[in-house]
Amino acid sequence: MTSEEYQNVTIIFAGYAAEVDDMFRTNSGLKSRFTHFFEFPDWTVDDCVAFFAICANKEKFLPLDNNLTGILRGGFEILLSLEGWANGRDVKRLWDESKSQRAYRVFDEPESEKALIDSDVQQAVASMIKSRAPKTRKSNTSTRRRHNFPATFPPTQRPDVMPNEEKTPSEERLPENTDEATLV
C-alpha cells in the first residue's frame, strides 16, 4: 500500500479505540502505515439527553419535562459507565424502549397528544440497565452444604457423609492429625 500506484487510496478503519489498538498490536508494522487518526469522544450525559429530546421532537411528542430529564440524566449516568455503551445507537434504543412502554400504557386509553410519562422512561431505563449489567457466574458448588469437621470424626460419623454414601479413598486414609481446614 506504500507504492505509488496506491497514492490516492484512502483506507478507513472504524471501531472502538481498544479494539482498533488490539488490531494494530497484531502486526507491528501495520500502525506505521496509517498517518492520520481521529478519535471521537464518548457522548456526555448532556449529549444523550439532548439526542433523546431531538427524537421526541422529531416524532411530535410533547417536550420533555424536568422530571423526565432528571430520570434520563440518572439513567444515562449509569448506562455510560457500563461496558458496551454505544452513544447514539443506545440513546435511540432507549427512545424506542420508552415508546414501547408508552404503547403498553396507552393501549386501552389513548392520549390526545403523544407524551412520555415518568414510568415510561423509568421502566425503559431499568430494562436497559438490567440488560447491560455484568452477569454474575453461578458457582459450581454442590447443593449439599459442606462443613469443616475435625479429623477426629470417623468418616461414617461426620454429618456431611450419608450412611450409605461411599467413602473416597482419601477419607478412608485420613492421618490422625489432619488439620480440619483440609476437610472441605
Side-chain angles (χ1 to χ4, degrees), residues 68 104 124:
L68 285 176
Y104 293 126

Side-chain angles (χ1 to χ4, degrees), residues 144-176 178-184:
R144 197 174 69 204
R145 287 186 64 155
R146 300 290 298 195
H147 299 281
N148 290 332
F149 293 105
T152 55
F153 275 95
T156 55
Q157 292 181 3
R158 288 194 349 232
D160 66 332
V161 177
M162 299 301 204
N164 294 328
E165 186 177 64
E166 285 190 33
K167 294 173 276 204
T168 64
S170 63
E171 286 179 320
E172 292 176 0
R173 290 183 269 129
L174 287 176
E176 295 268 329
T178 302
D179 183 356
E180 68 180 5
T182 61
L183 297 174
V184 179

Side-chain angles (χ1 to χ4, degrees), residues 127-138:
S127 172
M128 196 162 177
I129 290 171
K130 183 178 178 185
S131 73
R132 288 292 170 84
K135 307 294 184 245
T136 56
R137 287 183 143 183
K138 291 185 177 182

Side-chain angles (χ1 to χ4, degrees), residues 70-83 85 90 93-94 97 121-135:
I71 293 166
L72 288 168
R73 290 186 69 74
F76 286 130
E77 285 176 11
I78 295 168
L79 289 165
L80 267 70
S81 71
L82 298 176
E83 192 170 321
W85 177 252
D90 280 340
R93 180 176 167 215
L94 185 63
E97 179 64 25
V121 176
Q122 286 169 332
Q123 290 172 4
V125 166
S127 172
M128 196 162 177
I129 290 171
K130 183 178 178 185
S131 73
R132 288 292 170 84
K135 307 294 184 245

Side-chain angles (χ1 to χ4, degrees), residues 11-51:
I11 298 174
I12 298 173
F13 285 113
Y16 296 105
E19 285 82 0
V20 171
D21 286 343
D22 287 346
M23 179 190 67
F24 282 132
R25 277 195 288 279
T26 63
N27 181 329
S28 58
L30 186 61
K31 190 170 187 175
S32 66
R33 289 175 167 75
F34 293 88
T35 57
H36 296 355
F37 295 87
F38 301 98
E39 189 166 333
F40 299 99
D42 284 335
W43 285 13
T44 65
V45 169
D46 291 335
D47 296 329
C48 296
V49 172
F51 184 57

